[in-house]
Amino acid sequence: MGLHDLLDTCTSYGTGLLEPFSHERFSFHFLFVVDPLFTISLLIATLVLLIRKTGDISRIKWAAGGISISLLYVGAALFCKSRLDPAADMTTPAPFNCLLWYCIKRTNTGYYTGYQSVFDKGPVSYEFHPQNRQLLIHPEPYLARFANGYYTVSGSGDRLYFNVLRFGQVQGWQTKDAPFVLSYPVGITQGENMIIQKGRLSGWSSQSIHQYLERIMGR
């Protein structure tokens, strides 16, 4: 369970390691919350261990191999993170890989967001998002704490939405002003539920997957 908590700190979600004594969330932003390249070796080793008999000495090799490959991937992710725009205040992996990263720059009035591949030869192309903090007449502290300060407020009709920037945009590598993945209705919403993971997987097709792979390769 302790290792699971530490693994959670590697993602953009983070975890409250010191709960209930402190609400601070610890997050190091170098693994995507679901990364098949990190998991595959552990999954294969687990399946082998379930099949092999308890006394089979090869079980140790399979277990060590699965863990070692995942640790090498963690090392590769940290190396890739070190190659990103040093001016960015926050960088976190795009879905399912450690080669394309989501970058955020903080200003007094809002945030610049952009995507950078480790293979990019040019500078990061950023898009500005005003924070609009003044729209929150009655700020909800738990939302700001969950967002760790990275949030904007936007309006749609007569409703306000609290957008958490830390978790990226819906296919933002293609569209600079793409909506944010996590968005919460603020105040009276007439029964509207909290929007979680809004559209993270919407719009995916064989063409968009091909474009995503191209973007990962810096094209």
Side-chain angles (χ1 to χ4, degrees):
M1 290 181 66
L3 288 173
H4 185 85
D5 281 343
L6 290 177
L7 182 60
D8 282 344
T9 65
C10 300
T11 71
S12 58
Y13 286 79
T15 190
L17 292 177
L18 303 180
E19 292 282 1
F21 308 105
S22 170
H23 296 313
E24 181 180 1
R25 299 185 70 85
F26 294 84
S27 181
F28 301 109
H29 304 282
F30 62 85
L31 287 178
F32 188 67
V33 65
V34 178
D35 193 330
L37 298 178
F38 171 81
T39 308
I40 187 64
S41 63
L42 295 175
L43 179 60
I44 293 174
T46 300
L47 293 175
V48 172
L49 293 179
L50 289 173
I51 296 172
R52 297 290 176 95
K53 294 182 179 180
T54 304
D56 191 336
I57 194 171
S58 67
R59 287 165 53 90
I60 298 176
K61 295 180 180 179
W62 278 100
I67 294 173
S68 298
I69 293 173
S70 289
L71 289 177
L72 286 173
Y73 184 78
V74 168
L78 289 171
F79 174 76
C80 291
K81 188 177 178 70
S82 70
R83 308 283 293 178
L84 302 176
D85 182 4
D89 293 293
M90 195 199 87
T91 55
T92 191
F96 316 128
N97 78 110
C98 67
L99 299 175
L100 181 65
W101 296 71
Y102 171 65
C103 307
I104 301 178
K105 287 183 180 180
R106 189 202 304 258
T107 71
N108 293 331
T109 58
Y111 303 87
Y112 288 92
T113 65
Y115 284 80
Q116 180 181 10
S117 167
V118 294
F119 300 111
D120 284 349
K121 294 181 172 57
V124 183
S125 177
Y126 286 98
E127 177 77 8
F128 182 72
H129 306 273
Q131 187 172 41
N132 294 326
R133 186 185 307 172
Q134 72 279 1
L135 296 179
L136 285 177
I137 300 175
H138 302 292
E140 302 180 56
Y142 67 92
L143 286 178
R145 184 167 67 243
F146 179 66
N148 198 25
Y150 290 93
Y151 69 89
T152 64
V153 182
S154 60
S156 178
D158 59 347
R159 298 181 182 180
L160 290 179
Y161 291 90
F162 186 95
N163 308 301
V164 181
L165 275 65
R166 293 194 301 128
F167 309 110
Q169 298 166 270
V170 181
Q171 298 194 21
W173 51 88
Q174 292 188 42
T175 307
K176 291 182 182 180
D177 60 348
F180 293 101
V181 169
L182 266 71
S183 183
Y184 302 84
V186 177
I188 299 174
T189 59
Q190 299 177 351
E192 180 181 9
N193 292 325
M194 183 168 53
I195 302 173
I196 302 179
Q197 302 287 50
K198 179 181 65 177
R200 183 183 283 277
L201 299 178
S202 67
W204 286 93
S205 63
S206 58
Q207 181 180 2
S208 63
I209 292 174
H210 175 75
Q211 292 172 342
Y212 185 49
L213 294 175
E214 289 285 307
R215 184 65 190 91
I216 288 175
M217 298 308 297
R219 305 189 186 105

